[in-house]
Amino acid sequence: MSRKTIGWNGKTVKEMLEESEKLIEEKKSYHGIQNLSLKEEDPFRYERAYASLRGALVSARETALHVAASPIVTEIGELCFALYTPEGDSIAVSTGILVHVHTMSEGIKFMIREGYEEDPTINQGDIFLNNDPQCGNVHTTDVQTLIPIFWEDELIGWAGGVTHQIDIGGITPGHTLVSSIQRFDDGAYYTCRKIGSNDKIWRDHMIGAKKSVRSPMYWELDEKCRLAGNLMIRDAVYDFIKREGIEYYKQFMREAIEEGRRIVQERVKERLIPGRYRASSFMDLPMKDQAWVPIAREDKISNHPIEVIVKEDGSFSLSFDGASAGGANAFNCDKGAMEGGQWVLLTQILIYGDKVNDGAYFAVEKDYPLGTWANPGDPYLSYQAPWGNLIPAYTTMMKCISYGLFSRGFREEVVPGYGFTGDSIQGGGVFSAGPLLGERWMLSTFEISGQGLGASAVRDGLNWGYAMWNPEADLGDVETWELFQGGIPYLSRKVKPNTPGHGKFRGGANYGSVAFIANSEKVEFFAGREGLVFHGSGGMHGGYPNATSYRLSGTNTNLEEIFRNKQDYPIDDADPSNGQFERFLKGDIKRLPIGTIYPIALENYDIIHFAESGGPGYGDPLERRVDSIKRDLDDGLYTSDIVNKVYGVVATYDDKSEEWLIDEEATKKRQEDIRNERKDKSMTFEEYWEYERKKLTEGKLYEAVSKMYSESLKLSSKWGKEFREFWKFPEDFQMEVK
Amino acid sequence: MNVDKKTLERMIEGDLKWDELKPIISGRKDQNRFDKIMEILQEKVKWNERILLPLHEHLYIVAKEGERIVKCDCGHEFGDYNVNWKTKCRVRVRDTIEAIDELYPKFMGSDPEWEELREYYCPGCLTLLDVEAAPPGYPTIFNFLPDIDAFYENWLGRSPPDKK
Ligand SMILES: [Zn+2]
């Protein structure tokens, strides 16, 4: 039985998509457009048209999040809306988490390629739900609602909205699960599924969906929020067509995307230098002693080498050739995640402006090699916490672009990276007392939205105010978080010393918090962040990486007694080698050098410390101004012992004036000593090469490190060739794993 | 916006306050920024070779006797810019807990079995030019190899200063 086609001029949408892909391949421009005729003929009308659509998306977002949404959406704006062509290319995107410039697009294309026009059919009023990372999503926790938009009998576009959930019903409570190792642990999966018609979500879907997550009320609110926003966008498109005409709309959307593509090339030519850029970052997965399932019990270090080639025409390519393998862990990334991480950064550091759409996607060539963490090619792995690789891996792109910005003279735009948005506590429990007795509480603190940003080439990094995945980073109100995660009230939050990466300009600083468990039972707690390696690709031009994370908890404590007797309790861990936990508490105090931990069980009056991340530094620390260091000391960002060892600044605290006083003579001498030490403790490059090469041949490497080399050598011929050449190994050299 | 030379000089020195810097960051970029910065840097360095491209806070690609070489502002020469300048540096490897703990509090640095720090110094002035955090045995990273001719000829529409 054949059904009337929904594409233009009697075509199917599948035919339209194929045609569009062919045109960009052959003509190297979107839909083969050579001239932006609408813009050229009447620029005012064109700009007004774009502004009206963009405005409608922003307004849909602002309204929808206040109509109905969970606290994670309302408090910190974890949502985004976009308008697409019938083929699924984004025309305009709202403000918000710009991760999604090119995520929902892949979802729409999936439905088209899979023949959804025939079955389950695409009609006006239909509602589709998607959260499958194999179909353009980042991880299951981001949930997308997509609706087709028809004009008369033709499909003229799609509206899409995405929100980040507080819980998606995975193996443990939380939103970015570290103990997930296969698809079946990732929580509810909706693979581009039709869930409604006639603008109404089907009741059977809602009943089932609410049973699939631990936070059913938030789920329902967020589904309504996304649908409401999409319907507002559809209305705005109809207003547009009534005003400008359908033919104008059809031509306009394609030219807007082609313009988006050209904007990237123009911006690249304005800001960068053609050439080859490279950087590498790493991430540790210390699962050998933690994982529950035998195949996941291994320590792993992920290799994230990037190569960016800026071409003469202003387009550029990006390759993760040499990356290590995916595997039985939660950090695997599929295309949606790779595109998401990339776009949320490119729109901040290079292509910021209102005209961001899939044109930008078409301007960048990419290589996510099959078998690597960046494209494992196995849908049955877990894709629950791709951020574990994305967050460090994309510091490399930021650093590469920063080298170009620096050489071009835009030193104010240089940023070598950012802190890892990962230290906040996750998990949940059940209230064992109080008015909410028996209710579940979920732990998803979005304090992680406030990390330290890297230093630039002209100033220190931003303190506690940056999240790579949300350009409008907002850590929300602690009172609100405390309310929603009721079982874990804060005891303190204060500046944590020594988090910023050292440098002439230091990285952004951050704070630490102490919290305890109250009125609860069945509490589990976990977290994910780097711990055994430094985060990302480190500092730049002599700057150091920011400090790593670690875990500190106290169980079986006497905290109840301390409260009763009004005694001192720990409020920080300023000096981990002489901590307040050990001094003030009786109980089992546990410190781990790792940042990523599997869920641990906690009971009332157990206590934990967690600290957010600083940012990487820029330039030689010996060039940092002494008055800036005095301010760092006065603000508690650094301690005097670190300042002495790294910056060579000698300072003493004056109790009377309550400030740090610098001993200028002693500082001069100390800095001289450091410079001499540099000579004494360094070697020539040739000596270093011999010294370092031995580490690879003597068989003493830690197994996770040799495994990393072994994987990269097997997965990449190019990276492998350069590795072998650099160390003068034979062409068939492979790394043996103990 | 058009940022004047004096302001750019102060910016390079790190002297601009936030209310002066903010408009430079968020405003439209000055189209002749590259030329202004080049002029400032050429006046600032103590040697006479023509700068072709600033590469680093302290390093420049310069034209010297028909070659394009990397040169530190202290005068030390690193040779052909097509070769990674890091391979001409002095290197200190921090691959023990003690050496890493000099810079970071306990628990707040890497585990040297997983990752070490390499500090690359200029052999001339001992300035710290780069810090690499990488697993033991990781090759030295060649961060940036510019295409100088394509930049001048195709993007700026003129010959590179050493090819007039
Ligand atoms: Zn030097």
Side-chain angles (χ1 to χ4, degrees):
Chain A
M1 189 187 79
S2 81
R3 188 173 167 269
K4 197 179 171 309
T5 57
I6 57 171
W8 299 358
N9 309 319
K11 285 179 204 153
T12 63
V13 183
K14 200 173 184 176
E15 285 165 347
M16 287 175 72
L17 174 59
E18 283 161 2
E19 197 176 299
S20 154
E21 285 172 337
K22 213 174 116 205
L23 280 168
I24 193 136
E25 182 67 36
E26 284 170 5
K27 308 257 165 121
K28 307 285 173 219
S29 67
Y30 189 66
H31 269 271
I33 291 169
Q34 299 305 312
N35 301 313
L36 301 177
S37 57
L38 299 182
K39 188 175 175 172
E40 283 156 19
E41 279 158 25
D42 188 347
F44 183 75
R45 184 181 177 197
Y46 177 85
E47 295 299 337
R48 189 188 57 191
Y50 194 91
S52 75
L53 286 180
R54 160 94 171 153
L57 289 163
V58 176
S59 133
R61 176 177 180 269
E62 289 302 317
T63 312
L65 79 87
H66 288 108
V67 168
S70 66
I72 205 164
V73 173
T74 321
E75 272 292 303
I76 58 161
E78 282 287 293
L79 82 164
C80 179
F81 285 98
L83 174 66
Y84 298 87
T85 65
E87 304 93 341
D89 300 317
S90 66
I91 306 161
V93 187
S94 75
T95 49
I97 34 173
L98 285 170
V99 169
H100 298 282
V101 172
H102 187 75
T103 58
M104 290 181 276
S105 169
E106 292 288 329
I108 297 168
K109 288 176 199 286
F110 174 85
M111 292 192 274
I112 298 171
R113 289 185 189 122
E114 287 293 322
Y116 274 36
E117 287 165 274
E118 293 289 326
D119 182 8
T121 71
I122 301 168
N123 310 294
Q124 173 81 337
D126 283 353
I127 304 162
F128 294 90
L129 191 69
N130 181 43
N131 76 337
D132 189 336
Q134 258 70 52
C135 308
N137 196 16
V138 177
H139 55 158
T140 47
T141 320
D142 291 327
V143 180
Q144 311 168 346
T145 298
L146 294 157
I147 64 162
I149 304 174
F150 283 81
W151 181 260
E152 291 166 352
D153 289 333
E154 283 179 347
L155 180 71
I156 54 157
W158 298 79
V162 56
T163 59
H164 182 94
Q165 303 307 119
I166 218 157
D167 182 273
I168 191 66
I171 186 166
T172 64
H175 58 90
T176 308
L177 313 176
V178 299
S179 50
S180 189
I181 64 154
Q182 53 181 338
R183 184 180 177 97
F184 315 103
D185 302 332
D186 284 0
Y189 260 91
Y190 296 93
T191 305
C192 294
R193 193 180 303 173
K194 196 192 277 197
I195 58 147
S197 51
N198 302 315
D199 297 340
K200 243 181 112 337
I201 296 170
W202 293 328
R203 212 169 100 79
D204 58 334
H205 159 73
M206 192 58 90
I207 291 170
K210 286 166 72 176
K211 286 195 174 207
S212 306
V213 294
R214 297 178 181 84
S215 46
M217 184 177 80
Y218 298 157
W219 175 274
E220 185 167 0
L221 285 171
D222 287 344
E223 278 224 45
K224 287 177 176 167
C225 159
R226 294 189 304 270
L227 179 59
N230 282 344
L231 295 176
M232 286 177 67
I233 295 165
R234 193 179 68 191
D235 287 346
V237 169
Y238 291 152
D239 287 345
F240 183 107
I241 292 170
K242 280 173 201 149
R243 202 169 55 237
E244 309 287 351
I246 182 70
E247 290 312 313
Y248 190 89
Y249 179 78
K250 285 179 169 180
Q251 175 75 7
F252 169 83
M253 63 183 181
R254 289 181 174 168
E255 288 193 13
I257 294 173
E258 172 58 13
E259 194 195 4
R261 194 187 69 82
R262 294 181 188 185
I263 285 171
V264 176
Q265 285 174 286
E266 281 158 23
R267 183 58 66 87
V268 166
K269 282 185 174 176
E270 180 195 78
R271 300 282 168 97
L272 304 180
I273 305 277
R276 188 189 76 191
Y277 300 78
R278 287 175 172 181
S280 282
S281 70
F282 308 90
M283 180 64 188
D284 59 314
L285 273 132
M287 300 305 181
K288 196 175 177 180
D289 303 322
Q290 294 200 76
W292 297 323
V293 178
I295 54 160
R297 277 182 210 139
E298 64 162 355
D299 282 350
K300 188 173 170 67
I301 176 168
S302 276
N303 186 12
H304 311 139
I306 202 172
E307 180 177 274
V308 174
I309 307 275
V310 174
K311 300 173 192 172
E312 284 180 39
D313 67 354
S315 65
F316 64 102
S317 67
L318 187 151
S319 166
F320 280 101
D321 176 78
S324 34
N329 62 71
F331 292 179
N332 301 297
C333 302
D334 212 300
K335 190 179 178 190
M338 296 308 292
E339 293 293 329
Q342 191 182 119
W343 287 107
V344 75
L345 274 184
L346 283 175
T347 50
Q348 294 177 70
I349 57 177
L350 201 60
I351 312 150
Y352 43 86
D354 56 350
K355 278 191 188 134
V356 172
N357 57 33
D358 261 326
Y361 166 78
F362 292 118
V364 184
E365 252 176 67
K366 28 233 144 180
D367 175 23
Y368 311 132
L370 188 65
T372 67
W373 59 264
N375 180 14
D378 178 355
Y380 296 104
L381 294 177
S382 166
Y383 294 81
Q384 226 299 322
W387 294 108
N389 276 322
L390 288 181
I391 293 169
Y394 275 117
T395 60
T396 57
M397 184 178 74
M398 215 159 173
K399 199 167 167 179
C400 286
I401 285 174
S402 289
Y403 286 114
L405 291 164
F406 181 91
S407 284
R408 196 65 188 263
F410 298 113
R411 296 191 183 198
E412 73 278 18
E413 298 288 335
V414 164
V415 191
Y418 42 76
F420 198 118
T421 44
D423 212 72
S424 279
I425 40 186
Q426 283 194 72
V430 178
F431 285 109
S432 62
L436 295 171
L437 178 73
E439 296 273 320
R440 285 174 192 280
W441 54 267
M442 246 73 56
L443 200 52
S444 283
T445 314
F446 261 63
E447 269 184 46
I448 47 170
S449 301
Q451 301 302 334
L453 182 58
S456 82
V458 299
R459 68 183 288 257
D460 291 343
L462 179 73
N463 301 330
W464 39 78
Y466 182 78
M468 68 82 81
W469 31 255
N470 187 345
E472 294 165 79
D474 178 354
L475 52 85
D477 292 325
V478 69
E479 291 80 7
T480 308
W481 294 121
E482 235 175 359
L483 199 67
F484 288 105
Q485 55 196 39
I488 182 157
Y490 285 73
L491 289 177
S492 76
R493 184 203 262 180
K494 59 187 291 210
V495 171
K496 176 151 180 96
N498 305 317
T499 62
H502 311 302
K504 174 185 179 183
F505 299 108
R506 59 157 177 81
N510 228 315
Y511 53 80
S513 300
V514 176
F516 76 108
I517 309 296
N519 297 328
S520 296
E521 57 187 7
K522 296 175 189 157
V523 177
E524 44 189 350
F525 161 83
F526 67 96
R529 204 189 131 185
E530 92 293 334
L532 301 170
V533 302
F534 289 104
H535 170 57
S537 54
M540 184 169 163
H541 291 177
Y544 284 87
N546 48 281
T548 65
S549 172
Y550 62 97
R551 295 288 150 209
L552 170 58
S553 61
T555 52
N556 301 314
T557 71
N558 60 334
L559 198 59
E560 186 180 13
E561 181 192 319
I562 289 176
F563 288 162
R564 209 171 41 239
N565 299 335
K566 297 186 176 161
Q567 289 166 318
D568 286 342
Y569 53 81
I571 54 166
D572 68 21
D573 194 44
D575 180 1
S577 60
N578 180 26
Q580 288 189 357
F581 273 51
E582 286 86 346
R583 272 184 283 147
F584 296 156
L585 288 174
K586 282 190 201 118
D588 303 322
I589 311 300
K590 198 169 175 186
R591 282 170 192 278
L592 297 171
I594 55 176
T596 301
I597 55 164
Y598 258 53
I600 54 171
L602 294 175
E603 293 183 11
N604 287 336
Y605 299 105
D606 286 349
I607 177 169
I608 52 165
H609 160 270
F610 54 102
E612 305 303 326
S613 175
Y618 177 92
D620 186 342
L622 286 187
E623 292 174 18
R624 184 162 180 79
R625 291 197 182 154
V626 173
D627 58 337
S628 301
I629 294 189
K630 177 186 151 45
R631 205 174 52 232
D632 295 340
L633 286 167
D634 287 341
D635 292 345
L637 305 189
Y638 282 127
T639 52
S640 59
D641 56 327
I642 291 288
V643 151
N644 184 299
K645 282 185 264 186
V646 179
Y647 295 89
V649 170
V650 183
T652 45
Y653 189 71
D654 183 52
D655 284 321
K656 227 182 191 158
S657 61
E658 295 186 331
E659 62 177 335
W660 287 88
L661 302 177
I662 308 287
D663 182 338
E664 287 185 17
E665 273 305 299
T667 295
K668 229 180 190 169
K669 166 89 180 42
R670 175 80 188 111
Q671 292 189 334
E672 198 58 48
D673 290 348
I674 292 179
R675 221 170 264 277
N676 289 330
E677 192 185 295
R678 285 180 176 181
K679 188 159 202 181
D680 299 342
K681 297 207 169 162
S682 64
M683 41 193 148
T684 65
F685 189 83
E686 291 67 30
E687 289 164 343
Y688 160 74
W689 186 88
E690 296 283 350
Y691 173 82
E692 196 70 15
R693 189 178 188 275
K694 276 200 193 112
K695 292 178 182 170
L696 294 164
T697 55
E698 282 182 337
K700 289 184 194 155
L701 285 182
Y702 183 57
E703 60 180 24
V705 175
S706 33
K707 184 140 190 280
M708 181 196 86
Y709 289 125
S710 166
E711 289 176 354
S712 290
L713 289 169
K714 283 194 181 111
L715 286 164
S716 160
S717 52
K718 190 174 167 228
W719 189 93
K721 184 168 178 278
E722 290 197 19
F723 178 88
R724 292 177 188 104
E725 279 171 5
F726 184 85
W727 294 118
K728 298 193 167 52
F729 286 139
E731 273 173 41
D732 58 351
F733 175 86
Q734 294 291 343
M735 180 64 70
E736 257 180 70
V737 183
K738 270 183 290 181
Chain B
M1 72 184 286
N2 189 24
V3 190
D4 61 65
K5 193 174 158 192
K6 189 126 204 114
T7 307
L8 285 178
E9 278 169 346
R10 290 178 54 230
M11 184 177 87
I12 289 175
E13 296 306 319
D15 285 342
L16 292 190
K17 297 275 172 288
W18 178 236
D19 56 351
E20 296 172 287
L21 195 55
K22 169 73 171 53
I24 300 175
I25 293 173
S26 56
R28 275 187 189 281
K29 296 297 181 194
D30 30 350
Q31 294 303 309
N32 57 352
R33 171 73 72 87
F34 180 72
D35 292 335
K36 282 189 281 187
I37 291 277
M38 287 285 277
E39 198 185 307
I40 293 168
L41 296 173
Q42 192 73 59
E43 286 167 13
K44 205 177 144 197
V45 292
K46 294 172 294 197
W47 28 260
N48 294 322
E49 285 86 3
R50 183 69 188 262
I51 299 173
L52 302 176
L53 200 71
L55 198 58
H56 179 285
E57 185 82 9
H58 290 281
L59 305 178
Y60 306 84
I61 299 177
V62 303
K64 183 167 181 168
E65 294 156 11
E67 306 282 311
R68 289 171 171 177
I69 62 161
V70 175
K71 188 166 177 136
C72 182
D73 47 20
C74 76
H76 185 85
E77 293 176 357
F78 290 76
D80 184 1
Y81 82 102
N82 288 292
V83 177
N84 191 357
W85 55 263
K86 285 189 209 166
T87 63
K88 312 285 174 196
C89 285
R90 287 191 71 81
V91 191
R92 173 173 184 189
V93 193
R94 291 185 188 263
D95 52 3
T96 62
I97 292 173
E98 296 72 38
I100 290 167
D101 282 359
E102 278 178 26
L103 310 175
Y104 299 89
K106 200 166 162 27
F107 295 104
M108 289 168 73
S110 66
D111 177 333
E113 286 216 312
W114 290 64
E115 189 176 69
E116 59 190 29
L117 290 173
R118 294 95 172 254
E119 298 170 346
Y120 293 88
Y121 305 118
C122 170
C125 59
L126 291 170
T127 297
L128 176 58
L129 296 177
D130 199 55
V131 179
E132 277 178 358
Y138 205 81
T140 299
I141 301 164
F142 192 174
N143 294 108
F144 178 32
L145 178 62
D147 186 342
I148 296 172
D149 291 327
F151 173 58
Y152 277 97
E153 282 159 17
N154 300 336
W155 288 16
L156 299 184
R158 61 185 198 235
S159 302
D162 59 342
K163 283 197 179 169
K164 269 183 185 146

